Structure formats: structure tokens, C-alpha cells
Amino acid sequence: MMNENAKKVPSVVVKRLPRYYRYLGELLKQDVKRISSNALSNKMNVTASQIRQDFNYFGGFGQQGYGYNVEYLYNEIGDILGLHDGDTTVIIGAGNLGRALASHDTFEKRGFKLIGIFDNDKNVIGTIINGIEVMSVDFLKSFVTQNRVDIGILTVPKSAVFKTAETLVECGVKGLLNFSYTELNFDKEVAVENVHLSDPLMTLSYKIKQNKAEF
Amino acid sequence: MMNENAKKVPSVVVKRLPRYYRYLGELLKQDVKRISSNALSNKMNVTASQIRQDFNYFGGFGQQGYGYNVEYLYNEIGDILGLHDGDTTVIIGAGNLGRALASHDTFEKRGFKLIGIFDNDKNVIGTIINGIEVMSVDFLKSFVTQNRVDIGILTVPKSAVFKTAETLVECGVKGLLNFSYTELNFDKEVAVENVHLSDPLMTLSYKIKQNKAEF
């Protein structure tokens, strides 16, 4: 049922799901059992009707006048996001950003398992990051073929990203998280998220400009 | 005029502006002079009517049946985003992520000027990143007071983020780009963008799950 419905979910709604998930996780930590869409709305700076509308794409999660069950909602959204599927990841490019992501324990907390880190720099190969030894990219193909790798995280330079991405896709990777300041697009079975770290800086700059006009 | 209109711009539209800007920059590099909203739509995976609707928030940029002038549109969007304001930045936290951002030349290309990097680790203070010597956080307050700093980029651990953010705000910083896996919120004059690097990974996971159901 979920999949039938989920296909129609607009990408702006999908992009809000991680935020709901994070926020519900915080509530759980604080031992909050139930929350109304109004209270959720106040805390999250989204209108209550927006929240209800978003949740309706997934069946509404059964709020019946007395609020959402926080733990149920957290688990449902986690399930929708595929966080219970145990997806494995590899990072290609062990520069500063690759190292930052490899050491980023939130990825693991969200259910992703980092199983390999690759680089082409002799000085980096063999070093240990977060308990994992950096391998040569020469072994990328055989590693991804021999292990179940769901997601490739690309922190290689722009010049290397297309070739690296194609290798991963050929070897059956299902998704690419691309930090290489380019737009990757694959048809069919390969999901891609292109992350541009300068985008939030530009959005911030917009907000600053608006504030200057206001105050 | 722009500011009056701009206040009503929904945040989803604002979040699309950096993408338009990046894409128009690519077109400029390829020496493309004009582009129709249909062609822009195909390339960007956004409907043409969405593009027109988005641009209408800012006066429409005068497409009159024969396409948008790429350079004009690029400059207008850059202006709306405040990229021509010469905003200065400091990075607090010279760990892997701070180093990655400091070395990230796209920030400079977008018009931001990095003028200081701070850390509290003796082994890091005094090292040079991208031509800038890392200073002790002990000097943060005096530096921000004595120099015009518009934006603080926070890559400090969660435990240090609130104190660091408050120091910056007290010293007159206008915006905070927060990578510390927490939600910062300041009322009034301080703009904040909270960046969660695991959000795009969760969105990717969602897409992978959808693909699995489909293929």
C-alpha cells in the first residue's frame, strides 16, 4: 500500500521527512509520548495543516484528536525513509570532507553501515578512519562486486566523479550521495542526491539581505 | 520594490534559487545567451510552470516569448541571493569539516570572503588552511568585534555550539551557518541555516526504497 501511495509524494514533502524524523527522535529522548500537530507545528516552524497534509501522503498516522504517538510516528517515518533496511555505504575520497563524513556518527545512528573507504593517494591509503582502513581505489570494483554495497558516497574531485560513479553503478550500487559539486543523473534503478554545500550559504545570504531590509 | 515582494516568498522557492543560480552559471560558461523556461525546465527537472511561478515572485525577469537572457537572469538571482554584497565569513572549528569548507573554493566563487578560522586545539592553532592561519577561539570575540564579520560558519562539536553562536551574535554577526547537528534559532536580526549532512542520505534512502518497489 505504502509504495502505491508513496510514488505521488512531491519531493518537497520527501525532503521534510528527515526533519520530522530528527525532531521526533529528540522528543523520544525527552520521553515525550504524544504530541499534537499544533505542538509539532510550533516547535518545527511548519503550519499544523502542512504537517497533516504531509502525513496524509502516508496514511495520516492516525491522529484522532489526541495527538500523534511519538514513538510510532518516529518508527513509521524511519520505515518510510528506509532507515530500517540496513543500507551499507562506501566513501570514495578520503580528503577532509570524506574524513568528516566517515567520522560522522549520525550516519550510523540513522541505520547506515559504512563498510569501506577508498582513496587514490598513497599517503592516505592504509590510514585508519573511524576504525576502517582506507583502501586503494584500484580495489573499488572488486570490493563493490564482492560485498553488498547499497550506497556510494562521492567526495572525490569533480574530475573523477563521473568515472567513479559509473564504476559504482556498473557494480550494482543502488544510490549515490554526490558531494562533488556536479550534477549526476542516472536513469532507471540508481537514485542520486547531489549535495551542494554552498546552497545553504546562499540561502543564508538571502535571509541576511531580507533582514537588512527589514531592520 | 524587491524587498516588499520578497517577504512573501515561500522558503521552498528560496531554496530553489541557489540551484537556478548554479545552473545559469553553467549555461553562462557554455556561452548560452538565451534559454526558454521549457528548456530550463527539461535541464533542471522542474516544470516550466513552476519556474515561471518561482520567477514571478521576483517580477518574472521579463521573458517575452523568446526566452530568458541568461546573463541577466544569473545576475538578478545573484543579486536577490545577496551574492554581490561581499559578505565576510569566519569558520569556527578547524576539524575535518571546517577544513573541507575552508578549502572549498565555491564559497569564494559565490562572493563570500573567508577572513578567519578558529579552533581551540593547540595542535591546530597556527596551522595554515587555504592561506589563512588558524587562530585560537580565545581571540574570536575581539576579532569579530574589530572586523566586519557577516557570517559565522559553525563546525564545532554540539557541546560548544550554543556558546559559540551567542558570542558571534553578541558581536554583531548577521547570519549563522550551523553544521553542528543541532537546531539553532535566533529571533530578530540573526539569520540561521541549520545544515544536517545526514538529511540528504535519508532522502536518498527513501528514493532507493521507492526504486526497489518499482523495479
Side-chain angles (χ1 to χ4, degrees):
Chain A
M1 187 201 87
M2 199 204 76
N3 293 323
E4 292 269 320
N5 291 336
K7 268 178 214 168
K8 303 170 217 149
V9 183
S11 71
V12 285
V13 177
V14 173
K15 280 194 196 305
R16 272 195 291 268
L17 292 178
R19 210 172 145 232
Y20 289 127
Y21 185 77
R22 278 190 279 108
Y23 189 67
L24 290 161
E26 290 298 314
L27 290 178
L28 261 188
K29 263 194 224 160
Q30 295 159 30
D31 217 28
V32 177
K33 307 283 187 208
R34 296 206 149 261
I35 188 158
S36 67
S37 52
N38 282 327
L40 203 54
S41 154
N42 284 336
K43 300 258 184 191
M44 293 200 60
N45 238 338
V46 181
T47 65
S49 86
Q50 179 76 80
I51 291 177
R52 283 188 295 264
Q53 213 176 307
D54 285 357
F55 289 178
N56 274 338
Y57 281 105
F58 308 98
F61 305 118
Q63 193 205 33
Q64 284 141 1
Y66 53 94
Y68 298 104
N69 177 317
V70 173
E71 191 176 359
Y72 173 78
L73 191 52
Y74 177 77
N75 285 325
E76 284 293 301
I77 293 179
D79 198 46
I80 289 164
L81 284 169
L83 305 184
H84 308 142
D85 297 358
D87 282 347
T88 55
T89 66
V90 294
I91 292 177
I92 303 99
N96 288 315
L97 186 58
R99 283 171 180 266
L101 297 176
S103 320
H104 184 13
D105 66 346
T106 308
F107 283 13
E108 211 166 315
K109 269 195 233 160
R110 303 286 182 244
F112 300 94
K113 197 170 160 41
L114 177 64
I115 59 169
I117 307 173
F118 297 85
D119 204 284
N120 65 355
D121 181 343
K122 275 179 200 163
N123 297 313
V124 174
I125 295 164
T127 60
I128 310 284
I129 306 172
N130 205 12
I132 296 173
E133 191 179 335
V134 179
M135 285 174 271
S136 164
V137 278
D138 294 344
F139 297 117
L140 180 61
K141 203 165 179 168
S142 63
F143 184 89
V144 179
T145 310
Q146 284 159 36
N147 297 275
R148 199 202 89 196
V149 177
D150 298 302
I151 294 172
I153 301 177
L154 295 158
T155 50
V156 295
K158 224 175 181 172
S159 55
V161 71
F162 289 103
K163 198 171 158 268
T164 312
E166 283 196 349
T167 302
L168 291 167
V169 169
E170 276 168 25
C171 298
V173 157
K174 298 186 194 73
L176 298 170
L177 187 63
N178 174 29
F179 285 92
S180 301
Y181 320 122
T182 36
E183 295 283 318
L184 286 179
N185 276 302
F186 283 89
D187 286 342
K188 299 178 296 179
E189 297 110 287
V190 184
V192 181
E193 277 286 297
N194 297 298
V195 185
H196 292 267
L197 290 176
S198 54
D199 282 12
L201 184 56
M202 290 196 262
T203 313
L204 180 68
S205 169
Y206 173 87
K207 289 182 183 172
I208 291 173
K209 189 160 183 168
Q210 294 305 115
N211 274 350
K212 273 186 201 160
E214 207 168 319
F215 289 100
Chain B
M1 187 201 87
M2 199 205 75
N3 293 322
E4 292 270 320
N5 291 337
K7 269 177 212 167
K8 305 169 217 150
V9 183
S11 71
V12 286
V13 177
V14 173
K15 279 194 197 306
R16 272 195 291 268
L17 291 178
R19 214 174 141 230
Y20 289 128
Y21 185 77
R22 278 191 279 108
Y23 189 66
L24 290 162
E26 290 297 316
L27 290 178
L28 260 189
K29 263 195 223 160
Q30 294 159 31
D31 216 29
V32 176
K33 306 285 188 208
R34 296 207 149 259
I35 190 158
S36 66
S37 53
N38 283 327
L40 202 56
S41 154
N42 284 335
K43 300 259 183 189
M44 293 199 62
N45 238 339
V46 181
T47 65
S49 86
Q50 179 75 82
I51 291 177
R52 282 188 296 264
Q53 214 176 307
D54 285 356
F55 289 179
N56 275 337
Y57 282 105
F58 307 98
F61 304 120
Q63 193 205 33
Q64 283 142 359
Y66 53 94
Y68 297 105
N69 177 317
V70 173
E71 191 175 358
Y72 173 77
L73 191 53
Y74 178 78
N75 286 325
E76 284 292 302
I77 293 178
D79 198 47
I80 289 164
L81 285 168
L83 305 185
H84 308 144
D85 297 357
D87 282 348
T88 55
T89 67
V90 294
I91 292 177
I92 303 97
N96 287 315
L97 186 59
R99 282 172 181 268
L101 297 176
S103 321
H104 186 11
D105 66 347
T106 308
F107 283 14
E108 210 167 314
K109 269 195 231 159
R110 303 286 182 243
F112 300 95
K113 196 169 160 43
L114 177 64
I115 59 169
I117 307 173
F118 297 85
D119 204 283
N120 65 356
D121 181 343
K122 275 180 202 162
N123 297 313
V124 174
I125 295 164
T127 60
I128 309 286
I129 306 173
N130 205 11
I132 296 171
E133 191 177 336
V134 179
M135 286 174 271
S136 163
V137 279
D138 295 345
F139 297 118
L140 180 62
K141 201 164 180 168
S142 62
F143 184 89
V144 178
T145 310
Q146 284 159 35
N147 297 274
R148 199 201 88 196
V149 177
D150 299 301
I151 294 171
I153 301 176
L154 295 158
T155 50
V156 294
K158 225 174 181 173
S159 56
V161 71
F162 289 102
K163 198 170 157 266
T164 312
E166 282 196 350
T167 302
L168 290 168
V169 169
E170 276 168 26
C171 298
V173 157
K174 298 185 192 76
L176 297 170
L177 187 63
N178 173 28
F179 285 92
S180 301
Y181 320 121
T182 37
E183 296 282 319
L184 286 179
N185 275 302
F186 283 90
D187 286 343
K188 299 179 294 179
E189 297 110 288
V190 184
V192 181
E193 278 287 297
N194 296 299
V195 184
H196 293 267
L197 291 175
S198 54
D199 282 13
L201 184 56
M202 290 196 260
T203 314
L204 180 68
S205 169
Y206 173 87
K207 289 183 184 173
I208 290 172
K209 190 161 184 166
Q210 294 305 113
N211 274 350
K212 273 185 201 160
E214 206 168 318
F215 289 101

